[in-house]
């Protein structure tokens, strides 16, 4: 595990040979969901000694329909993320959507995430890098893994070496994504930790209803394969009741299923480490 990740997990009782986890509800939709999810995932990760970063978007900017839920207000949401950090002593990651959001979000969180559709936006990458925070860049569904070298270069040339890359599938036709597991070792050659997003990889976008679909029954399959090929971390969106979630409910993992899944993945990682 790279030094900057070891530093951000300082204070957690972890196994440094384990994968790390980014997990939480898709968007900050209220205090009850955020705090309940964080509390439960923290307990699971402490039990399994998984390094943990709480994830939730303070606002959703990429919505198909104008009437889709986008958030509870930037300041309110960011303050809730800061409350998670203070209450549970875990780092927090959230998305930014424009260059002028970087400094604002950096006041509250430890990791700034660049959404996949924005991974080539130079001004956003520079602004995120200049905050000095860890920057997690999601690989665009439209890019080869090799092309992510340019995003890495932009961050490094802007003075930031604290970089994570996350794969979330590649466009396959109009309504589906596929995961090319070659992307994980390919991007690891850029000397960055690589995460596999096990939930967004199963999205089914561009539905005629204007609401993105998903296939959460395949989350375990995606996650197992990611660990088998050596992913450094996993990204899993989870919610106490995905059917009532205000964003991406169709592909989130139900919170009460998370521990069983992670227990299997930890045991699989132990086997992978012996090979």
């Amino acid at each position: 595990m790279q030094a900057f990740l070891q530093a951000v997990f300082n204070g957690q009782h972890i196994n440094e040979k384990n994968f790390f986890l980014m997990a939480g509800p898709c968007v900050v939709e209220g205090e009850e969901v955020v705090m309940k999810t964080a509390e439960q995932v923290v307990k699971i990760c402490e039990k399994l000694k998984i390094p943990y970063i709480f994830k939730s978007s303070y606002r959703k900017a990429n919505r198909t329909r104008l009437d889709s839920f986008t958030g509870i207000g930037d300041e309110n949401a960011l303050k809730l993320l800061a409350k998670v950090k203070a209450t549970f002593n875990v780092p927090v990651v959230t998305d930014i959507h424009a260059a002028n959001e970087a400094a604002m979000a950096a006041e509250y969180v430890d990791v700034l995430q660049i959404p996949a559709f924005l991974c080539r936006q130079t001004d956003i990458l520079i602004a995120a890098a200049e905050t000095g925070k860890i920057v997690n860049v999601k690989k665009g569904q439209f890019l080869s893994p090799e092309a992510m070298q340019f995003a890495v270069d932009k961050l490094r040339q802007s003075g930031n070496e604290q970089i994570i890359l996350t794969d979330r599938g590649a466009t396959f036709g109009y309504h589906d994504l596929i995961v090319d597991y070659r992307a994980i070792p390919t991007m690891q050659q850029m000397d960055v930790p690589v995460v596999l997003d096990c939930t967004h990889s199963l999205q089914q976008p561009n539905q005629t209803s204007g609401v993105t679909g998903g296939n959460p029954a395949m989350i375990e399959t995606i996650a197992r394969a990611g660990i088998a090929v050596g992913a450094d971390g996993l990204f899993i969106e989870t919610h106490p009741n995905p059917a009532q979630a205000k964003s991406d409910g169709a592909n989130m993992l139900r919170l009460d299923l998370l521990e069983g899944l992670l227990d299997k993945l930890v045991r699989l990682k132990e086997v992978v480490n012996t090979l």
Side-chain angles (χ1 to χ4, degrees):
M1 193 179 300
Q2 296 200 9
F4 70 85
L5 283 176
Q6 290 176 326
V8 81
F9 294 127
N10 184 37
Q12 294 188 39
H13 299 291
I14 63 174
N15 177 359
E16 291 186 0
K17 295 182 179 180
N18 216 342
F19 58 88
F20 67 92
L21 177 69
M22 295 182 180
C26 176
V27 64
V28 175
E29 56 185 65
E31 183 168 358
E32 181 179 358
V33 169
V34 166
M35 298 305 287
K36 178 179 179 179
T37 304
E39 180 180 23
Q40 186 63 30
V41 182
V42 165
K43 287 180 180 178
I44 294 168
C45 289
E46 287 179 345
K47 178 180 178 181
L48 298 176
K49 297 183 178 180
I50 299 171
Y52 176 49
I53 302 173
F54 178 82
K55 182 274 165 184
S56 197
S57 299
Y58 73 88
R59 173 163 45 86
K60 300 302 291 185
N62 177 23
R63 303 287 84 188
T64 303
R65 290 174 15 181
L66 187 61
D67 61 353
S68 296
F69 178 81
T70 59
I72 61 173
D74 293 356
E75 185 175 4
N76 289 337
L78 287 166
K79 285 182 176 178
L80 275 177
L81 293 177
K83 183 174 181 179
V84 168
K85 177 180 173 67
T87 302
F88 301 107
N89 193 31
V90 292
V92 175
V93 57
T94 199
D95 308 79
I96 61 171
H97 317 91
N100 62 5
E101 297 179 15
M104 174 186 69
E107 294 182 14
Y108 297 89
V109 304
D110 305 275
V111 184
L112 297 177
Q113 182 167 284
I114 311 301
F117 281 125
L118 301 176
C119 69
R120 289 188 53 173
Q121 295 300 109
T122 301
D123 59 341
I124 297 177
L125 292 168
I126 292 172
E130 290 178 344
T131 67
K133 297 291 184 176
I134 298 170
V135 182
N136 177 36
V137 188
K138 287 198 164 183
K139 185 188 81 64
Q141 303 94 316
F142 47 87
L143 284 181
S144 70
E146 291 85 357
M148 289 303 290
Q149 181 67 63
F150 299 108
V152 171
D153 290 345
K154 289 175 184 177
L155 293 169
R156 287 177 172 156
Q157 290 164 12
S158 300
N160 195 323
E161 295 282 345
Q162 300 182 117
I163 304 164
I164 301 170
L165 296 181
T166 296
D167 191 0
R168 46 96 77 238
T171 300
F172 184 72
Y174 291 110
H175 301 295
D176 214 348
L177 300 169
I178 59 169
V179 178
D180 180 353
Y181 290 94
R182 297 174 299 177
I184 294 173
T186 297
M187 293 192 292
Q188 285 171 331
Q189 291 175 6
M190 301 169 196
D191 193 25
V192 296
V194 175
V195 172
L196 178 61
D197 183 339
C198 306
T199 44
H200 288 100
S201 295
L202 292 164
Q203 280 186 332
Q204 295 170 331
N206 303 319
Q207 301 297 308
T208 55
S209 65
V211 178
T212 297
N215 187 9
M218 297 295 290
I219 290 173
E220 181 172 334
T221 300
I222 295 288
R224 281 175 176 255
I227 293 299
V229 299
D232 299 290
L234 297 177
F235 182 109
I236 299 175
E237 287 192 338
T238 184
H239 190 284
N241 187 352
Q244 295 182 0
K246 296 183 178 181
S247 177
D248 278 2
N251 56 272
M252 279 195 281
L253 181 69
R254 208 172 71 218
L255 183 58
D256 63 355
L257 300 177
L258 182 64
E259 182 172 357
L261 172 61
L262 291 176
D263 180 65
K264 293 178 184 178
L265 297 175
V266 166
R267 287 186 279 133
L268 177 60
K269 178 64 173 175
E270 291 173 352
V271 174
V272 171
N273 287 341
T274 67
L275 299 177

